[in-house]
Structures are given as C-alpha cells and as structure tokens.
Amino acid sequence: MNIDVSRWFDLTGRVALVTGGCRGLGFAIARGLAAAGAKVVVNGRDAAALADATARLARDGYAADGAQFDVTDAQAIREGIAAIAKRAGHIDILVNNAGIQRRHPLVDFPQRDWDDIIATNLTAPHIVSQAVLPAMIERRRGKIIHIASLMAEFARPTVVPYIAAKGGVRQLTRGMAVELAAHGIQVNAIAPGYFATEMNRALLDDAKFDAWVKARTPAGRWGRPDEIAGLAVFLASSAADYVTGQMVMIDGGMSVAL
Ligand code: NDP
C-alpha cells in the first residue's frame, strides 16, 4: 500500500481562524496553516497590525484575511465570526491563541489585572469556541486548538492569575473534547515553553532570566516562534483525527528535566 503522507497534513480548502494572529506565536501558526493550504483569517484588535500581518502573509505567497475584534467582547466575537463565514466560509480550524501576561507579587496583584488575564486567556477561548461550534457541529467536523502554557502544569512566582488561567485552559480542553468528540470535532492544546516573542520582551532583555532559561532548558535556548507551526498543522490536520483532549508541550525539554 502506498501512503501519501503529505495528504495527512494537507489543509487545502479548510478555513482557519487564529486569534491574536498578528504577531508572535499566533502569526507563526497562521503562516504554518496557510503553508499547509488553509485559507487563513488572522484576528487582532488593531486595524494597522492586522493590515500589516495580512500583507506579510501575502508577501510570503499566502492569501489571508483579517478579522478585527477583541476576544473579550462576546458581541464583537459573534459579529466577527458571522462576517468571516460570509467572506471566507465556515471556520474548520480555530486556534485560540490571543493571550496576555502581567506580573505582580501575589499579595499586590491588582484585581483589574486578574480580571483581564482570566477574560483574555480563559474566558475568551470558551466564548470564541461557542461562536464557531454551531457550524462545526452542523457539518460534523472541526478542530479547536487552545494555546496553553507550561504554566498549565508548573508554576513560577509573580504570575498566579496566568497560571490559574492556563491551568483552566488545560481542563477546558478536556471538557470540550469529551463533549464534542461525538460530533466529529477534536479539541487539543499546545503548551509552549519559553519562546522569543513580544510577550517575553522584558524577560529576553533581562540577562539573568535569559541565562536561567538557557540553563534550565535541555535544548539550551529559547523557542523560535516558527517552531510551533508544525505541531499546530498536525493538530489541525486529518492526521490527528483520533487525537483529542490532549495538551502537547513544546519546550525544548524543560518540562522533563530536573
Ligand atoms: P504576543 O504578546 O507576542 O502576542 C499576543 C497577541 O494576542 C497579540 O497579537 C495581541 O494583540 C493579541 N491579543 C491580546 N489580547 C487580545 C484581545 N483581547 N483580543 C484580540 N487579540 C488579543 O504573545 P505570544 O505570541 O508570545 O503568545 C501567544 C500565546 O501563547 C498566548 O496565549 C500566550 O499566553 C501563549 N504562550 C506564550 C509563550 C511564550 O513563551 N511566548 C509561552 C507559553 C504560552 P494586541 O497587539 O492587540 O495586544
């Protein structure tokens, strides 16, 4: 029997939405999905950043669309998803990537920052998923990929709400997976370790932290954003049709090293 492996990962004809897709890991995932053949829609809050992201994808030879909405605004999400369905077609692949980080000691953590982190990192993946699910259920197919974090499983000081939110994303993944499997929809999470993105700008510029990451990571370096794309393509593809409820760590070995 001849097996055409490339067909397993072929996303031709699929519509993919990546939230927070204008830069960093989201942009790398959008480009990877587009390279595998998907029609990609990148989401963001800022019109100029969206235009720039779609232009960069176009320069790389990929047709991409932009959808401007804030993932913490339920009404805007519903309108945004409806507009995508009209322009590009129903969403086959949703990547809940938009996320924020804020750092404070626990006892002084401002309530406002806690609320923003939970709204963006935990509640938004639920609400955006709810908006795309009716069409996925109707068509009996869909892939939802949440971007969690090593902090879904481990902990560091000054980021308690982020840890709580990403731990919640891990369980959101499992809960959604068991409820949606019978509808032909798979739900998985990617848990990145330390990647060199804007979110980590202050940490990258901190020589002590940079040295700690390199020493603590068996691979000896930060992750490069493009290195996340292949895993996202796999989880979005038919190669992963029997994979659901999982959280896959991509961390240069940090999570398995003492
Ligand atoms: P970046 O800060 O570089 O990018 C985050 C993106 O999300 C930005 O484009 C931002 O847009 C967007 N975003 C934030 N809030 C909203 C919102 N309310 N509505 C729409 N878009 C929004 O982060 P990364 O690329 O590093 O992170 C991507 C994901 O990966 C996050 O979920 C993060 O928690 C996770 N992660 C990252 C790790 C890393 O090492 N980099 C490690 C583990 C997890 P805007 O310009 O509007 O703010």
Side-chain angles (χ1 to χ4, degrees):
M1 184 171 98
N2 287 327
I3 298 175
D4 182 356
V5 175
S6 65
R7 286 191 59 186
W8 294 349
F9 306 102
D10 185 4
L11 302 179
T12 303
R14 304 286 151 119
V15 177
L17 170 64
V18 182
T19 68
C22 292
R23 66 168 195 237
L25 302 186
F27 183 78
I29 290 169
R31 189 162 51 191
L33 297 175
K39 207 190 300 180
V40 166
V41 183
V42 289
N43 151 262
R45 291 183 284 197
D46 180 63
L50 270 177
D52 179 60
T54 51
R56 278 183 289 149
L57 287 166
R59 272 202 301 277
D60 288 343
Y62 308 122
D65 205 352
Q68 189 182 357
F69 58 85
D70 184 322
V71 297
T72 64
D73 180 341
Q75 179 64 24
I77 291 167
R78 280 191 291 273
E79 288 168 10
I81 303 285
I84 294 167
K86 271 199 194 133
R87 279 203 314 271
H90 287 302
I91 291 162
D92 300 291
I93 300 159
L94 166 64
V95 183
N96 279 311
N97 163 81
I100 57 169
Q101 175 65 291
R102 293 188 194 147
R103 296 167 191 277
H104 305 283
L106 174 62
V107 286
D108 298 325
F109 220 104
Q111 181 66 37
R112 179 66 205 263
D113 284 338
W114 169 281
D115 291 342
D116 288 349
I117 289 167
I118 299 296
T120 310
N121 295 4
L122 178 57
T123 309
H126 163 64
I127 305 179
V128 181
S129 299
Q130 273 189 325
V132 304
L133 276 170
M136 285 185 178
I137 289 170
E138 198 181 316
R139 289 175 310 133
R140 296 199 56 74
R141 75 163 196 231
K143 302 277 186 184
I144 296 180
I145 302 167
H146 301 306
I147 306 303
S149 165
L150 275 196
M151 294 301 143
E153 184 78 19
F154 303 100
R156 295 263 310 157
T158 73
V159 290
V160 165
Y162 186 84
I163 292 166
K166 295 296 189 180
V169 168
R170 178 177 204 171
Q171 282 299 87
L172 176 72
T173 304
R174 289 173 167 158
M176 288 178 64
V178 296
E179 197 164 326
L180 295 168
H183 296 285
I185 297 163
Q186 291 81 46
V187 186
N188 291 289
I190 294 175
Y194 286 90
F195 277 72
T197 67
E198 274 313 299
M199 179 177 275
N200 288 331
R201 174 56 46 213
L203 303 182
L204 284 156
D205 292 343
D206 175 342
K208 213 168 133 199
F209 197 91
D210 175 58
W212 176 80
V213 167
K214 289 171 178 163
R216 181 68 183 74
T217 307
R221 61 175 177 81
W222 294 73
R224 302 175 192 114
D226 282 345
E227 290 178 308
I228 202 168
L231 179 53
V233 169
F234 164 65
L235 291 173
S237 74
S238 64
D241 278 354
Y242 203 51
V243 179
T244 198
Q246 302 304 306
M247 183 176 80
V248 185
M249 294 187 183
I250 176 162
D251 63 356
M254 183 181 257
S255 58
V256 295
L258 265 180

